[in-house]
Amino acid sequence: MDRIDRQLLAALVNDGRATYQELGRLVRLSSNTVADRVRKLRKDGVIRGYRAELDLAVLGRGLQILTDIRLRETVDRAGFERGLVNVPQVIAAMRMTGDYDYLLHVVVANALELEHIVDRLKAELGVREARSRLLLHEVPLGQDRILDV
């Protein structure tokens, strides 16, 4: 991966809908050459997909919560992970090292909804302990920063 690939990736991180023509102007290459490079980056797995970024507050999910989860000893981790698919308020889950088993990113409309989610996780998915923290704001650093390393 060379400097031009890194420039293309940075541009796509910031605007996944950029056309090959726009990208070509940015890196001073033809749109066909850019298309070939982007296809190769996709084939190599560097680019995994393109997605829309949602405004959760506009969708009525203005509270973002980070919740540390500790499972009961007898809970099957794979079963817990499969069960999260049925809890749409959980938009990300990471298995962790340390005192807790998972970190969940939960989006809710209000504290009552969060209470229901935590109760559901305990009753249905074998959560022993949940420690939640309100996300005040996210510092917009961006994935494209890693391209400068």
Side-chain angles (χ1 to χ4, degrees), residues 66-117:
L66 298 177
T67 301
D68 294 311
I69 296 293
R70 185 174 293 142
L71 299 177
R72 291 187 210 115
E73 296 295 325
T74 58
V75 171
D76 172 54
R77 291 187 194 322
F80 171 76
E81 291 176 13
R82 282 191 304 276
L84 289 176
V85 172
N86 299 316
V87 187
Q89 295 90 339
V90 177
I91 62 169
M94 287 78 48
R95 177 126 187 250
M96 306 297 288
T97 62
D99 293 334
Y100 291 88
D101 299 310
Y102 289 88
L103 175 65
L104 305 183
H105 186 177
V106 181
V107 294
V108 294
N110 53 47
L112 182 61
E113 185 178 11
L114 175 62
E115 182 179 12
H116 289 304
I117 297 302

